[in-house]
């Protein structure tokens, strides 16, 4: 029976360097699109006309173009790594305090929390990430929990130079009124076990980690390779856990733009208001893009476009080529 032409599912001879170079060239005239996050004063000062992309394959090759070595604030992308830490610490108990459903709401929304008795919809909206930070804080002083996170990030990225931008953390500490509201609300429901100032101290510092696209693509590699970093052989999580984190990224990684991202890109991904996005092509590569201008729902405008171009050029969507 003839079932039509073969699908180009494994384009093994693909020239990934040419692909990232093309993406940078095609996006050049659009540099500066979107609006830089200005509710965190330190982020409002970033030059919006920047764009970087890095792909690290499970075979260990890194392909990069544009501002791929410039460090940026990873912000909410940190939620993926903190969830990984919390699952290691609390196991499936994590799911007693945070859900696994898309929220369909903005990243800092408080509306669902009251109906759902202080149990956030998922670990990737702010409320959920604050609960996850509370779990990582268990048994520690805030400074130790931040230290544990930084050590973990250096381990997964295999890079001892990673550091937290203290100015960004302080900037958010001074102006993060909505996060204080969310945290106090959940404390009122008994879903935060530590003082709000301590939990948010951890949360603001995790968000303020500065990484380049190259470093972020290394850090995310365990999610593309069944829980193990193929560059170092370091085991981070079980294959099943990696698969589940990817599922959450697909459903919840872009706030109320998650459906749109799945529709256009079709890869698990997590965005941050610093303009970065980490995307995972399971079995193939970890991809990081960065451009500070955000679209209406708070995801990098050009970063989202770049990942759509990449998915089209590589056929890497998890939904088929
Ligand atoms: N630190 C940011 C906040 O809580 C993270 C938001 C984001 O990156 O989406 O507002």
């Amino acid at each position: 029976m003839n079932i039509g032409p073969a699908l180009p599912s494994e384009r093994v001879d693909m020239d990934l360097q040419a692909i990232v170079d093309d993406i940078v060239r095609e996006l050049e005239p659009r540099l500066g699109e979107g609006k830089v996050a200005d509710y965190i004063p330190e982020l409002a000062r970033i030059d919006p006309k920047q764009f970087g992309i890095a792909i690290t394959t499970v075979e260990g090759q890194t392909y990069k173009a544009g501002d791929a070595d410039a460090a940026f604030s990873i912000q909410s992308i940190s939620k993926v790594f903190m969830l990984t830490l919390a699952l290691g610490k609390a196991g499936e108990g994590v799911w007693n305090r945070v859900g696994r459903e898309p929220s369909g709401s903005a990243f800092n929304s408080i509306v669902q929390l009251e109906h759902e008795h202080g149990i956030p919809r998922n670990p990737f909206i702010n409320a959920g990430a604050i609960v996850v930070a509370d779990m990582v804080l268990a048994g520690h002083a805030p400074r130790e929990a931040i230290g544990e996170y930084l050590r973990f990030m250096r381990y997964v990225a295999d890079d001892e130079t990673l550091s937290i931008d203290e100015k960004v953390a302080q900037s958010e500490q001074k102006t993060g009124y909505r996060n204080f509201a969310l945290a106090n609300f959940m404390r009122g429901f008994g879903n935060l076990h530590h003082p709000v100032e301590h939990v948010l101290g951890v949360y603001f510092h995790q968000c303020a980690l500065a990484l380049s696209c190259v470093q972020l693509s290394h850090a995310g590699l365990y999610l593309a390779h069944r829980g193990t970093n193929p560059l170092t052989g370091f085991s981070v999580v079980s294959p099943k856990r990696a698969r589940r984190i990817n599922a959450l990224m697909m459903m919840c990684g872009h706030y109320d733009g998650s459906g749109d991202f799945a529709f256009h890109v079709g890869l698990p991904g997590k965005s941050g208001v610093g303009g970065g996005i980490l995307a995972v092509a399971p079995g193939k590569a970890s991809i990081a893009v960065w451009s500070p201008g955000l679209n209406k729902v708070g995801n990098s405008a050009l970063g989202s476009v770049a990942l759509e171009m990449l998915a089209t050029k590589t056929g890497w969507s998890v939904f088929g080529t």
Side-chain angles (χ1 to χ4, degrees), residues 17-84:
Q17 188 57 48
I19 288 178
V20 292
D21 287 338
D22 280 353
I23 290 174
V24 165
R25 201 171 317 112
E26 286 172 49
L27 289 180
E28 174 95 51
R30 300 178 61 175
L31 285 183
E33 261 182 36
K35 190 170 171 296
V36 171
D38 53 7
Y39 74 100
I40 302 174
E42 206 48 39
L43 295 184
R45 299 151 31 109
I46 311 282
D47 173 8
K49 296 199 161 191
Q50 302 185 76
F51 173 80
I53 180 166
I55 301 176
T56 300
T57 64
V58 296
E59 289 83 27
Q61 297 298 319
T62 297
Y63 304 90
K64 60 177 179 167
D67 301 305
D69 288 307
F72 61 91
S73 195
I74 67 166
Q75 292 297 315
S76 279
I77 303 168
S78 65
K79 294 170 182 173
V80 174
F81 301 107
M82 283 291 275
L83 174 66
T84 304

Side-chain angles (χ1 to χ4, degrees), residues 16 22 44 56 65 75 82 87 92 121 124 135 154 174 177-179 200 211 227 255 271 278 284 296 298 301 320:
L16 288 172
D22 280 353
T56 300
Q75 292 297 315
M82 283 291 275
L87 284 166
E92 296 304 298
R121 271 287 168 101
F124 296 156
M135 293 176 196
R154 288 176 173 168
K174 288 196 195 101
Y177 309 111
R178 294 184 72 133
N179 287 322
L200 289 182
L211 293 185
Y255 311 117
S271 67
L278 171 66
K284 297 188 170 63
K296 289 194 301 300

Side-chain angles (χ1 to χ4, degrees), residues 1-289:
M1 184 175 61
N2 183 1
I3 53 166
L7 289 171
S9 56
E10 291 305 324
R11 301 177 197 180
V12 279
D13 53 350
M14 228 164 17
D15 184 347
L16 288 172
Q17 188 57 48
I19 288 178
V20 292
D21 287 338
D22 280 353
I23 290 174
V24 165
R25 201 171 317 112
E26 286 172 49
L27 289 180
E28 174 95 51
R30 300 178 61 175
L31 285 183
E33 261 182 36
K35 190 170 171 296
V36 171
D38 53 7
Y39 74 100
I40 302 174
E42 206 48 39
L43 295 184
R45 299 151 31 109
I46 311 282
D47 173 8
K49 296 199 161 191
Q50 302 185 76
F51 173 80
I53 180 166
I55 301 176
T56 300
T57 64
V58 296
E59 289 83 27
Q61 297 298 319
T62 297
Y63 304 90
K64 60 177 179 167
D67 301 305
D69 288 307
F72 61 91
S73 195
I74 67 166
Q75 292 297 315
S76 279
I77 303 168
S78 65
K79 294 170 182 173
V80 174
F81 301 107
M82 283 291 275
L83 174 66
T84 304
L85 266 180
L87 284 166
K89 225 170 149 165
E92 296 304 298
V94 165
W95 308 118
N96 298 330
R97 294 176 57 195
V98 61
R100 298 189 292 254
E101 295 296 337
S103 71
S105 304
F107 66 100
N108 53 9
S109 171
I110 202 167
V111 289
Q112 277 165 352
L113 266 184
E114 173 137 44
H115 294 296
E116 296 174 1
H117 311 289
I119 309 286
R121 271 287 168 101
N122 68 65
F124 296 156
I125 51 173
N126 284 11
I130 291 168
V131 170
V132 168
D134 188 65
M135 293 176 196
V136 173
L137 186 53
H140 288 311
R143 188 181 294 272
E144 293 163 356
I146 296 164
E148 184 184 352
Y149 164 71
L150 188 55
R151 273 194 304 282
F152 176 71
M153 293 308 296
R154 288 176 173 168
Y155 172 76
V156 289
D158 191 29
D159 189 336
E160 286 301 311
T161 68
L162 304 193
S163 65
I164 290 173
D165 186 333
E166 195 56 42
K167 271 202 199 140
V168 173
Q170 292 310 326
S171 182
E172 204 176 358
Q173 187 90 40
K174 288 196 195 101
T175 56
Y177 309 111
R178 294 184 72 133
N179 287 322
F180 276 98
L182 290 170
N184 276 301
F185 203 65
M186 292 190 290
R187 182 100 163 130
F189 275 108
N191 199 17
L192 275 202
H193 301 167
H194 300 87
V196 163
E197 295 69 26
H198 291 189
V199 182
L200 289 182
V202 173
Y203 174 72
F204 294 143
H205 279 82
Q206 72 178 64
C207 288
L209 185 74
L211 293 185
S212 68
C213 288
V214 170
Q215 290 168 323
L216 180 58
S217 73
H218 290 165
L221 208 49
Y222 69 96
L223 294 169
H225 192 251
R226 299 168 54 80
T228 299
N229 181 330
L231 300 181
T232 58
F234 295 160
S235 168
V236 184
V237 288
S238 66
K240 178 173 162 186
R241 191 159 278 171
R243 201 163 62 232
R244 289 179 161 185
I245 295 171
N246 284 335
L248 286 164
M249 288 170 75
M250 177 66 87
M251 300 304 296
C252 316
H254 287 78
Y255 311 117
D256 41 344
S258 297
D260 221 41
F261 190 81
F263 184 81
H264 287 290
V265 180
L267 294 174
K270 182 72 203 85
S271 67
V273 292
I277 304 178
L278 171 66
V280 178
K284 297 188 170 63
S286 163
I287 305 134
V289 292

Side-chain angles (χ1 to χ4, degrees), residues 286-297:
S286 163
I287 305 134
V289 292
W290 170 60
S291 186
L294 307 179
N295 62 21
K296 289 194 301 300
V297 284

